[in-house]
Amino acid sequence: MTEGKKRVRRTPEQRLADLEKKQAEILERQKAAIAKIEAAKKRLMQSPTARKDRMEQDKRFVRAAQVLAPEWDARHFIAALEKALQEDAQALQERGEALLEEHGKARRGRRPKVH
């Protein structure tokens, strides 16, 4: 009769070492996956459609700024931004979206040429 293979008991230290090794492998795979996602996000942000969307947002910002504060220049806006950083970010974002929606749209219809 053949004798079966005996089970070798591992010490708690060996099991801990294996678990730590497994954890390190998982962390490496997660880091690689996150890096891949970040690269994809960067590639998307550089796409022509994203650039076009950013340009449109910039135009809307300029239009809204001209309507809300026509006499302000860049220095005024920088000072206002510094003060706004002390406020609640969520409330500012909601108010900004409402103002952009109200004042940021281009005027419809034909405009006379500016010489």
Side-chain angles (χ1 to χ4, degrees), residues 56 59-60 63-64 67 103-115:
E56 179 60 31
K59 287 179 186 177
R60 290 180 70 196
R63 283 192 294 263
V67 169
H103 299 292
K105 291 185 178 175
R107 289 178 288 172
R108 298 181 54 87
R110 189 175 166 142
R111 290 180 208 91
K113 285 188 177 182
V114 177
H115 295 286

Side-chain angles (χ1 to χ4, degrees), residues 9-20:
R9 291 188 181 258
R10 296 183 306 152
T11 64
E13 291 83 17
Q14 289 172 325
R15 291 190 304 225
L16 275 174
D18 287 346
L19 287 175
E20 288 173 356

Side-chain angles (χ1 to χ4, degrees), residues 4 8 16 31 36 52 60 68 73 87 95 106 109 115:
V8 178
L16 275 174
K31 286 179 185 177
K36 187 176 178 182
K52 184 178 176 183
R60 290 180 70 196
L68 292 173
D73 63 1
E87 299 292 322
R95 180 67 179 144
H115 295 286

Side-chain angles (χ1 to χ4, degrees), residues 8 18 30 32 41 46 51 53 55 57-58 60 70 114:
V8 178
D18 287 346
Q30 284 180 337
K41 280 173 55 177
Q46 293 174 347
R51 198 169 326 132
D53 290 343
M55 287 176 54
Q57 283 287 78
D58 291 344
R60 290 180 70 196
V114 177

Side-chain angles (χ1 to χ4, degrees), residues 77-92:
F77 286 110
I78 296 297
L81 285 172
E82 194 268 332
K83 283 185 179 180
L85 286 174
Q86 299 166 1
E87 299 292 322
D88 178 33
Q90 185 64 29
L92 283 173

